[in-house]
Amino acid sequence: MRLLLTGARVLTPDALSAPLQEVLIEDGRIAAILPPGTAVENAQRHDATDRLVIPGLVNGHTHGHGGLAKGSGDKWDLALLLAHAGWITGGRTLEDKKLSTTLTAVEMLKKGCTAAYDLPAEFPAPTVEGLDAMAEAYAAVGLRAVLAPMVGDLTFFQATPGLIEALPEPFRSRAAGMRGAAGADIVGAIAAAAKAWRHDAQGIRLGCAPTIPLHGTDEFLKACRALAAEHGMPMQTHVAEARYQAAGGEIRYRATLLEHMDSLGLVGPWFSVAHGVWLTQSDLELLAKRGAGISHNPGANMRLASGIAPARAAIRAGVTLGIGTDGSSSSDNQNMFEAMRLAAFASRLWEDAGDEEWLGTAETVRLATEGSSKLLGLDGGLIAPGKPADLVLLDLRHVNWSPLNDAANQLVWTEDGSAVVDVMVGGTWKLRDRAVLGVDEAKLSRDAEAAAERLRGANAEIRAWCQAVAPHVACHCRSLAKGWTRSKRLLKAE
Ligand SMILES: [Zn+2]
C-alpha cells in the first residue's frame, strides 16, 4: 500500500529545519521525500496540513512494570527505590503484568514515542507467560520494543556490600533470609521464552538484562551473556547509576563496575548501559572501543538524586548515546519530550562546562531518535528514503507551536507531548486524533484503578516492612557513597 502525506512540514535528517514536503510511504517504509505538489500515482493521500512530521521518539530505557506504580514515592534515592521494590512491583498476577505494560506503552505512544527498550521485572523470576503477555501489550498498542527481563541472582540486600551487617535486628535476620530465584532457573526461563518467542514479526524482540552488576554472581552474569550470544539478544544493564553502587563495585571487584563486566565478556556491540552517571573516563573509552552504548535518563537521575550523567564526555569518547525516561516508578512519566528537555538542561549543569559542552537542540533530537534506535538495534530514527515509517504528527496550530520559530528548539524547549495528534509505526496508524487505536483507554483506566486497589491490599505487609527498614538502608548507602569519588584517571568535564 502507498500512502502520501501532503501539506506537512517535515523535519530534515539533521533536525535543523522543517520545510514543506510530502512523504511517500510504501510497505511500511519511507519511499521518498518529495517537493510539495509532486504528481504521485496510485497512492492514498493523507492531508497533513498544519502538521509537523518528526521521526518517532525512541525510549532508550524504561520499565513496563512501572506503569502501575507511578507516583509511589517521593524522597527516594535509588537505594530507597530498590528497598521499596517488594511492594511497588510485588504480588502481580499475569493480568497485572500485561496491564502495567499496556499503561506504559499507551503513555509512550500518546506522547510521540514509537519504540522502547523495556526492562520488565517479574518476581521471583521471569516467566514465559509473563514475557509473552507483555509482548502482546506492546503489539496491541503498536510500539516496537526490546523486552529484556531485568534479572539478578542476588537480592538488593545481598548485593550491597555491608548492608545486611549494618541493619539492626529484626531487619537483619529477615533481610539475610531473603533469597531470589536460582540463577540457573532465571536463565532457563529466559531461554524457554526465547524458544517460544512469536513476536519478532511485530518488531518486538527479546533481550536479556542482568539488572545491576552487583546483583548478579559472576557465574550468573556469564550465563546471561552465553544465553544472549546463543540467541543474538541485545543486553542492557544499569551500570554506575548511583554513587553507592560505584563504591560497592570498588569494594567487591577492585575495579569499576564496567571493567568487571567487561572482564566477564558482557560488554560488546550488543550491550548498552542504562544511566552511567558514575562511569569514569576510562569506562567511556572502553564502551567506545567495544562498540557499546548508553541510555541517558536525566529525569530519573534527578528524581533519584543520582547525579548528572557525562553525556558530552560519552559522545566525545565515541559512545553511542540514546535518551530514555526510565520506568514510571522512578521518573514518573513516559514523556520523551521531557526527557529531551532534561537532557539538554542537564548538560548545562556541569561545573565549568562552556557552551561547547552543552547539548544543542537538534543534537538532542537526534539522540532521542537515531541514538536510541541504535541501542534497540533498529535502523531508524530519521525521515529518509528506506527508513521505517515510524512517524509522529504534531499540531502546528497548538499553542506550543504558535508561532513556529524553530522546529528543533521548540521540540526540545517547548513541546511536552500535548501537540501529538497522530502516530504511525511501520506505515500503520496507531494513534489517530489522539486516540489509541488498539486499546480501549476507558477500560484500561478502570482496570488500572481496580488492580492498584487490590495490590495495595495484597502488599500491605511487605510495604510496612520496607518503610520500617528504609531509613537504615538510606543511612548505609549514603555512607558508602560518601567514601567514593571519581579518582584522578576518572572523568571530569573538560
Ligand atoms: Zn531502570
Side-chain angles (χ1 to χ4, degrees):
M1 194 196 79
R2 281 150 62 91
L3 178 71
L4 186 69
L5 302 183
T6 63
R9 290 192 171 273
V10 179
L11 195 72
T12 52
D14 60 11
L16 287 169
S17 63
L20 282 167
Q21 286 179 319
E22 302 193 341
V23 184
L24 182 64
I25 295 156
E26 193 167 358
D27 297 329
R29 291 184 175 268
I30 296 164
I33 313 294
L34 304 164
T38 308
V40 176
E41 286 175 9
N42 302 325
Q44 209 178 63
R45 300 170 83 82
H46 177 90
D47 183 4
T49 305
D50 288 336
R51 299 286 184 256
L52 169 64
V53 184
I54 65 166
L57 303 175
V58 179
N59 195 342
H61 178 68
T62 188
H63 301 279
H65 60 265
L68 273 170
K70 60 176 75 93
S72 293
D74 178 12
K75 290 189 179 178
W76 289 355
D77 58 15
L78 178 66
L80 286 177
L81 172 68
L82 295 174
H84 283 283
W87 68 268
I88 58 176
T89 314
R92 302 265 180 100
T93 63
L94 184 63
E95 248 336 285
D96 294 334
K97 293 171 190 175
K98 185 171 184 176
L99 174 62
S100 192
T101 305
T102 307
L103 289 164
T104 300
V106 162
E107 184 177 351
M108 286 194 275
L109 181 71
K110 290 176 83 93
K111 295 175 182 173
C113 178
T114 54
Y117 205 132
D118 183 339
L119 276 58
E122 290 182 80
F123 293 122
T127 62
V128 175
E129 316 80 66
L131 290 164
D132 189 60
M134 295 170 202
E136 278 183 354
Y138 274 105
V141 178
L143 263 69
R144 300 180 197 272
V146 169
L147 266 181
M150 76 178 217
V151 289
D153 65 341
L154 297 173
T155 67
F156 164 65
F157 293 98
Q158 292 172 307
T160 308
L163 176 56
I164 290 174
E165 297 74 15
L167 297 177
E169 289 294 0
F171 302 113
R172 188 187 305 169
S173 301
R174 179 157 169 181
M178 288 176 170
R179 288 289 176 275
D185 293 341
I186 295 169
V187 173
I190 304 174
K195 266 192 203 114
W197 200 249
R198 58 191 176 93
H199 305 283
D200 284 322
Q202 290 149 305
I204 302 161
R205 293 174 69 197
L206 192 62
C208 181
T211 177
I212 294 168
L214 289 165
H215 291 222
T217 58
D218 288 357
E219 297 66 43
F220 177 73
L221 295 175
K222 283 192 278 190
C224 286
R225 175 65 211 130
L227 173 76
E230 186 188 339
H231 295 277
M233 291 172 179
M235 300 185 80
Q236 192 173 85
T237 296
H238 302 87
V239 184
E241 177 177 356
R243 204 162 125 199
Y244 86 85
Q245 294 175 329
E250 211 149 281
I251 292 167
R252 180 160 303 159
Y253 307 131
R254 300 271 148 229
T256 70
L257 296 160
L258 189 81
E259 284 164 353
H260 183 69
M261 294 188 76
D262 187 60
S263 76
L264 301 176
L266 274 83
V267 184
W270 56 81
F271 179 75
S272 52
V273 163
H275 303 291
V277 175
W278 296 95
L279 290 176
T280 68
Q281 181 63 38
S282 60
D283 284 338
L284 295 176
E285 285 157 17
L286 178 60
L287 283 173
K289 196 164 97 183
R290 297 277 186 265
I294 299 176
S295 177
H296 175 35
N297 318 307
N301 298 155
M302 291 183 201
R303 152 91 153 79
L304 299 176
S306 298
I308 309 166
R312 173 61 69 204
I315 294 169
R316 203 187 291 117
V319 179
T320 301
L321 194 74
I323 292 178
T325 58
D326 208 346
S328 284
S329 28
S330 64
S331 72
D332 287 40
N333 64 29
Q334 298 297 304
N335 191 333
M336 282 296 295
F337 288 102
E338 185 187 273
M340 288 198 290
R341 178 175 154 94
L342 292 177
F345 281 2
S347 71
R348 285 146 170 83
L349 297 180
W350 279 96
E351 237 174 278
D352 305 326
D355 61 2
E356 69 283 357
E357 301 292 316
W358 303 350
L359 297 183
T361 55
E363 180 181 28
T364 303
V365 170
R366 289 173 60 186
L367 293 176
T369 50
E370 266 184 279
S372 300
S373 281
K374 286 181 189 153
L375 303 184
L376 271 73
L378 297 171
D379 172 35
L382 68 163
I383 302 176
K387 297 295 178 185
D390 296 357
L391 302 172
V392 172
L393 277 60
L394 297 154
D395 180 7
L396 291 174
R397 299 279 69 85
H398 188 280
V399 70
N400 288 352
W401 296 93
S402 304
L404 169 62
N405 285 317
D406 180 282
N409 288 347
Q410 278 167 272
L411 282 170
V412 176
W413 301 144
T414 317
E415 181 52 45
D416 54 2
S418 55
V420 173
V421 273
D422 301 307
V423 178
M424 68 164 57
V425 179
T428 303
W429 295 112
K430 305 296 181 184
L431 186 82
R432 284 303 300 273
D433 295 327
R434 298 187 166 83
V436 180
L437 299 183
V439 170
D440 177 344
E441 293 178 73
K443 179 176 183 304
L444 181 69
S445 171
R446 289 194 302 273
D447 290 350
E449 204 60 62
E453 180 67 31
R454 176 172 40 75
L455 288 168
R456 273 191 286 273
N459 292 325
E461 192 278 335
I462 181 72
R463 179 178 183 166
W465 188 80
C466 291
Q467 277 167 341
V469 79
H472 305 289
V473 169
C475 179
H476 179 73
C477 291
R478 281 169 198 165
S479 73
L480 261 184
K482 239 181 230 165
W484 192 87
T485 46
R486 298 181 211 262
S487 72
K488 285 186 286 313
R489 75 194 165 97
L490 311 184
L491 175 130
K492 183 96 178 86
E494 280 165 23

